[in-house]
């Protein structure tokens, strides 16, 4: 019987070793993925609820990195939309000019919440831009990487523009609120002055009445 060629047994053992290595690699990646998810969740709560800081925990590979960037940008976009919705309600309340139905408590509450939202979103956009720059710097100078970096820069600029518009609208609403408060104070002062003139015993009608009563006596004396 001809002897078995040694290469055949080597090939069989090679396939077994590759299978074992693949299983080991899969078992090692599972705990790392779980730890990365837990760290991302903690980072999300520390960044104003928008999760932009979690993009720093990108997994290995450009596809996973792009996915982390897209998720962070999506969270920021939803945050801006939420802030705009609150701002629309604030603008509706700030336009009221009635002195007797002023929703001051709700206006103050919305003002504080929107300020916090805008501050958190600004920080989140800065972190997203930093992540994009780090990813672009570590990805080489290939054509695909340049296109990805340009797209990321466009996304960040768009988010920054949207937040800038929201911030400007917020300032305009606060200005309107301040003007309405000043107007209400002036109207209250006018009403207060009018009431004091009507109720005062030394009102302007008394001298006129006194002049009428003293008219006949002065004529008799003459």
């Amino acid at each position: 019987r001809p002897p078995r060629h040694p290469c055949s047994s080597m090939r069989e053992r090679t396939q077994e070793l590759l299978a074992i290595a693949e299983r080991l690699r899969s078992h090692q990646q599972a705990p790392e993925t779980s730890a990365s998810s837990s760290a991302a969740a903690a980072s999300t709560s520390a960044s104003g609820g928008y999760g932009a800081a979690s993009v720093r925990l990108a997994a290995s590979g450009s596809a996973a990195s792009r996915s982390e960037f897209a998720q962070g940008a999506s969270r920021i976009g939803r945050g801006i939309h939420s802030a705009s919705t609150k701002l629309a309600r604030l603008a509706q309340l700030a336009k009221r000019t009635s002195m007797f139905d002023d929703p001051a408590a709700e206006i103050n509450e919305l003002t504080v919440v929107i300020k916090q939202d805008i501050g958190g979103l600004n920080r989140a956009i800065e972190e997203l831009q930093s992540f994009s720059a780090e990813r672009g710097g570590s990805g080489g100078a290939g054509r695909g990487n340049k296109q990805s970096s340009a797209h990321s820069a466009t996304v960040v600029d768009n988010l920054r523009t949207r937040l800038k518009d929201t911030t400007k609208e917020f300032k305009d609403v606060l200005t309107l609120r301040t003007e309405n408060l000043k107007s209400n104070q002036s109207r209250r002062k006018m009403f207060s002055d009018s009431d004091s003139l009507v109720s005062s015993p030394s009102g302007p009608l008394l001298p006129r009445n006194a002049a009428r009563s003293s008219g006949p006596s002065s004529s008799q004396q003459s």
Side-chain angles (χ1 to χ4, degrees), residues 45-139:
S45 62
S47 299
Y50 305 108
S54 64
V55 298
R56 292 183 175 278
L57 304 173
S60 59
S62 59
S65 180
R66 287 194 298 269
S67 176
E68 291 288 345
F69 178 87
Q71 291 176 9
S74 178
R75 292 188 189 98
I76 296 173
R78 291 195 299 269
I80 295 175
H81 176 74
S82 176
S84 298
T85 301
K86 298 171 188 175
L87 182 57
R89 173 59 178 169
L90 179 63
Q92 182 181 8
L93 296 174
K95 290 178 181 178
R96 295 186 182 179
T97 57
S98 174
M99 295 187 302
F100 308 104
D101 186 23
D102 184 37
E106 186 176 0
I107 287 177
N108 294 336
E109 180 180 356
L110 280 173
T111 300
V112 172
V113 171
I114 294 173
K115 281 183 179 179
Q116 294 175 348
D117 286 349
I118 291 177
L121 287 166
N122 270 314
R123 291 189 296 271
I125 290 176
E126 292 299 326
E127 292 173 357
L128 189 69
Q129 185 178 24
S130 297
F131 170 78
S132 176
E134 292 173 3
R135 186 185 66 174
S138 61

Side-chain angles (χ1 to χ4, degrees), residues 128-210:
L128 189 69
Q129 185 178 24
S130 297
F131 170 78
S132 176
E134 292 173 3
R135 186 185 66 174
S138 61
R143 179 179 179 183
N145 183 66
K146 288 182 178 180
Q147 292 178 347
S148 177
S149 297
H151 172 72
S152 299
T154 301
V155 171
V156 171
D157 288 343
N158 178 264
L159 291 172
R160 182 174 283 110
T161 299
R162 288 175 57 190
L163 183 59
K164 183 178 179 181
D165 293 340
T166 301
T167 303
K168 182 180 181 303
E169 185 178 355
F170 179 54
K171 292 179 179 179
D172 292 342
V173 171
L174 293 182
T175 300
L176 175 63
R177 170 64 174 170
T178 301
E179 292 176 351
N180 286 342
L181 286 176
K182 290 180 179 180
S183 177
N184 287 342
Q185 289 176 355
S186 298
R187 291 162 63 186
R188 287 192 186 97
K189 188 175 184 302
M190 290 176 60
F191 288 144
S192 176
D193 293 343
S194 299
D195 292 341
S196 63
L197 287 175
V198 170
S199 59
S200 175
S202 59
L205 295 179
L206 292 179
R208 189 180 303 171
N209 293 335

